[in-house]
Amino acid sequence: MESATNTGERAQPIAAPLAARRPLVEVLRDYLALTKPRIIALLLVTTVATMFVADPAGPAVATIIWTLLGGYLAAGGAGAINHYLERDRDARMARTCGRPLVAGRIEPRRGLLFGIALGVLAIAELALAVNVLAAALALAGLLGYVFVYTLWLKPLTAQNIVIGGAAGAVPPLVGWAAATGGLALDALYPFAIVFLWTPPHFWALALLVKDDYERSGIPMLPVTRGEAVTRRQILAYSLALAAFTVMPFFTGLFGALYLAAALALGVCFVALAVHLALRPSRGAAVRLHLGSLAYLALLFCAMGADRVLSV
């Protein structure tokens, strides 16, 4: 795998007859991998938490279930299409050269059709079982991720994840629309929090796989501007994020429970960013990347809990 990555050649696919003889459980596992389930899990946390922010009395259980299903299908469809579009780049990266389409375990055309089918099913299910606005927002997130981020911004600019990160911030809007049938100005807070969180989260990972991005020709910030600039940008966005998260308390959207959580989590997040900036190391980047996942999940849980307990 390493030698194929270093030469820049695409990994040789497994012969189709061999792939066809694989146990069904392995095939299903590969199709599941196309949906990027670990990423989706965090997105669904932001969706559900925002549903309780929008409707503190609690949306109907059926609404929550249908929204989660639709959200998974939409994000999973976008992930599968992303696998198809980036299979050539993935073959040149050690982190991704073992993905199902690159390794030939799933035929690329089938992976693409799988992603499209998930997306269509997601929009239909959300429109019929939840509401049209939630479906439209999910569609916007899918198209934004595929066309705006993957096809346009990612190969074009080092600011790809800043602008394209808006697609990943759509799930809270879907949750708000699912819970209330509309959108309010307050819905922009959870959206903006995910938007500001995305660059430091992703750039920490980019520091860890800089060589991969350089080989694949993707102009990620550590490749185009260097690691020192990337670390400073991570710190700047972390400070902006921590400051922004306290604003909903002053507007009256959240109470003391949320404020305490936002302050504590913000201090921890900024501390990780400061440590990475002042004492750069692979370990510091790993801690920030993993810590950012816990940060976002806990912050959104605090949002939902604050609103529910205030009823």
Side-chain angles (χ1 to χ4, degrees):
M1 290 171 62
E2 187 63 33
S3 60
T5 301
N6 290 335
T7 59
E9 298 175 358
R10 276 196 65 184
Q12 292 299 315
I14 299 171
L18 176 60
R21 291 196 298 267
R22 292 192 302 140
L24 178 60
V25 66
E26 292 184 7
V27 176
L28 294 177
R29 186 183 301 122
D30 278 335
Y31 274 101
L32 177 64
L34 292 183
T35 66
K36 302 185 178 183
R38 286 181 293 182
I39 296 174
I40 294 178
L42 183 59
L43 297 179
L44 294 183
V45 169
T46 68
T47 303
V48 173
T50 304
M51 293 180 77
F52 283 93
V53 173
D55 181 8
V61 173
T63 300
I64 295 174
I65 293 173
W66 286 118
T67 303
L68 287 176
L69 177 59
Y72 190 98
L73 292 173
I81 296 171
N82 173 268
H83 273 264
Y84 172 82
L85 295 173
E86 298 213 302
R87 65 194 189 281
D88 290 321
R89 296 192 196 109
D90 286 345
R92 297 192 292 269
M93 299 175 62
R95 182 174 67 94
T96 56
C97 64
R99 286 177 169 175
L101 300 190
V102 179
R105 297 194 302 273
I106 295 177
E107 184 184 347
R109 182 177 61 87
R110 292 183 178 181
L112 175 61
L113 292 175
F114 174 68
I116 294 173
L118 289 185
V120 171
L121 184 60
I123 304 313
E125 181 262 298
L126 286 170
L128 294 173
V130 184
N131 59 61
V132 173
L133 179 58
L137 289 167
L139 177 60
L142 187 156
L143 295 178
Y145 182 72
V146 170
F147 291 101
V148 178
Y149 172 66
T150 302
L151 286 177
W152 179 35
L153 294 172
K154 190 170 184 179
L156 181 66
T157 172
Q159 295 299 308
N160 46 31
I161 198 62
V162 176
I163 307 168
V170 168
L173 297 181
V174 174
W176 195 291
T180 66
L183 288 177
L185 193 60
D186 284 338
L188 292 177
Y189 283 116
F191 170 87
I193 286 171
V194 178
F195 181 80
L196 290 172
W197 166 88
T198 301
H201 163 74
F202 198 88
W203 283 334
L205 173 63
L207 287 172
L208 296 171
V209 294
K210 174 189 172 185
D211 292 343
D212 270 353
Y213 284 129
E214 196 164 11
R215 277 193 295 269
S216 64
I218 300 174
M220 288 298 176
L221 193 62
V223 175
T224 61
R225 301 289 303 280
E227 296 185 15
V229 170
T230 303
R231 290 191 293 268
R232 289 196 294 270
Q233 287 291 305
I234 287 174
L235 178 56
Y237 271 92
S238 299
L239 288 168
L241 172 64
F244 182 81
T245 57
V246 303
M247 288 181 59
F249 169 78
F250 293 105
T251 66
L253 178 60
F254 299 120
L257 173 62
Y258 168 80
L259 178 63
L263 289 173
L265 291 169
V267 167
C268 292
F269 196 93
V270 170
L272 290 173
V274 169
H275 182 73
L276 176 62
L278 297 180
R279 304 184 66 179
S281 68
R282 184 174 181 83
V286 169
R287 285 190 289 274
L288 177 57
H289 178 66
L290 296 179
S292 68
L293 299 173
Y295 169 88
L296 194 67
L298 291 173
L299 184 65
F300 269 81
C301 287
M303 288 183 193
D306 182 275
R307 291 283 285 172
V308 169
L309 294 175
S310 67
V311 175

